[in-house]
Amino acid sequence: MGRNKSRLVVLSGAGISAESGLGTFRDKGGLWDQYDINEVATPEAWERNPELVLDFYNKRRELVIKAEPNPAHLALAELEKHYDVNIVTQNIDDLHERAGSKNILHLHGEILKAQCSYDPTEVIDINGAHLKLGDLSSNGYQLRPHVVWFGEPVPLMFDAEKIVSEADIFVVVGTSLNVYPAANLLYTCKKFCKKYIVDLNELSNVKFNNLTQFQGKATERVPELVDELIKNPIIPTTL
Ligand code: NAD
């Protein structure tokens, strides 16, 4: 018996949360602009100056807590009534969760959690709390933000590839597709998987069959795409 709901996978990046007030990586004047990535988001930075790293993520956590999901996050949550939806996000914020999406894989970690700096499998909820030097895991090691830094392996990459490889529809929102290995996920799709990219910029380096680009703001173009996918349902494909 065939599946009655098509599998729809979303890959989201910083651009989907930009209109919620969380600056993207490459935004001028944003938080990332005030810091050198190598000084705050690498294992070497953590070795050199853990206090600066904690301070950077404490500020980002404050901004995430104040932010609200926008119409793009909400429209994607609405899709779950019509499709079997999985969200693979590069974002460390929790705006997809707060919008009501259920199946969310955080490829690059979650800012509202901390992990043991010795055993990365020990992850705890810290919600709104600031992390400080001296905050320890249950086995006595310093806690660090539960985020994947540049130069670190992406532990959930294999799970993400499996999810994307089963998609009938793949929707990419607000990612420059510059950060690897996440950018490789487009190549994992089935041949006849329908692909959509929503971004402020036209991503001219991406050439695929079955690809439609929705250029513009995520808060406008994602709800439009969602409406279209609801009005004209896409049937499951085995290829
Ligand atoms: P990126 O900054 O490389 O690219 C953002 C993309 O979003 C760009 O292509 C840009 O054109 C597009 N964009 C910006 N504003 C938009 C809008 N309003 N509507 C539609 N598109 C818009 O981000 P990335 O590809 O996600 O990679 C950056 C890395 O930084 C990721 O690992 C991500 O985890 C991290 N990051 C996360 C957050 C967050 O959690 N909210 C914020 C900044 C950076």
Side-chain angles (χ1 to χ4, degrees):
M1 215 172 67
R3 293 178 278 128
N4 53 5
K5 275 189 182 174
S6 294
R7 294 192 179 119
L8 186 148
V9 178
V10 177
L11 172 66
S12 65
I16 196 170
S17 297
E19 291 166 82
S20 291
L22 302 176
T24 68
F25 220 19
R26 290 163 183 86
D27 273 340
K28 287 275 159 288
L31 191 49
W32 289 98
D33 225 24
Q34 299 155 29
Y35 291 82
D36 175 347
I37 282 170
N38 297 312
E39 300 297 326
V40 291
T42 62
E44 293 76 18
W46 179 244
E47 284 290 314
R48 230 175 5 244
N49 192 346
E51 213 156 3
L52 179 72
V53 173
L54 292 176
D55 182 53
F56 172 71
Y57 284 100
N58 286 339
K59 284 184 180 144
R60 298 203 59 204
R61 193 176 305 104
E62 275 177 20
L63 294 175
V64 165
I65 290 165
K66 283 191 203 134
E68 294 289 340
N70 66 45
H73 300 101
L74 295 167
L76 293 175
E78 184 66 21
L79 264 183
E80 294 194 5
K81 293 183 189 145
H82 308 268
Y83 291 92
D84 180 358
V85 178
N86 277 276
I87 310 255
V88 175
T89 185
Q90 298 171 86
N91 294 344
I92 57 178
D93 65 53
D94 65 341
L95 297 183
H96 284 300
E97 281 88 346
R98 283 196 265 145
S101 288
K102 295 282 177 294
N103 305 313
I104 305 164
L105 182 152
H106 283 273
L107 212 46
H108 295 161
E110 293 169 76
I111 187 84
L112 300 180
K113 295 182 179 170
Q115 71 187 51
C116 171
S117 53
Y118 180 70
D119 173 10
T121 64
E122 192 189 335
V123 175
I124 59 163
D125 279 326
I126 51 166
N127 298 314
H130 276 192
L131 272 182
K132 304 179 297 298
L133 283 184
D135 288 342
L136 304 180
S137 63
S138 65
N139 48 7
Y141 291 90
Q142 175 65 42
L143 286 173
R144 55 164 269 188
H146 178 50
V147 295
V148 176
W149 287 324
F150 292 96
E152 289 190 312
V154 180
L156 294 178
M157 193 60 200
F158 181 75
D159 300 48
E161 278 171 358
K162 180 159 187 320
I163 291 168
V164 174
S165 73
E166 292 171 349
D168 303 304
I169 307 153
F170 188 45
V171 177
V172 177
V173 186
T175 169
S176 60
L177 296 171
N178 274 329
V179 176
Y180 287 85
N184 285 331
L185 285 171
L186 258 175
Y187 300 91
T188 312
C189 294
K190 288 187 285 198
K191 186 169 173 200
F192 292 108
C193 171
K194 291 234 184 284
K195 305 169 194 77
Y196 299 90
I197 293 184
V198 184
D199 202 281
L200 270 187
N201 297 315
E202 192 194 349
L203 303 184
S204 51
N205 54 339
V206 192
K207 299 262 184 286
F208 278 101
N209 57 350
N210 282 326
L211 171 69
T212 311
Q213 295 213 31
F214 278 61
Q215 197 185 343
K217 290 180 177 178
T219 54
E220 291 169 5
R221 305 299 328 255
V222 173
E224 271 175 47
L225 171 59
V226 165
D227 273 356
E228 196 173 306
L229 290 170
I230 293 174
K231 280 189 197 123
N232 304 304
I234 291 175
I235 53 165
T237 172
T238 48
L239 294 173

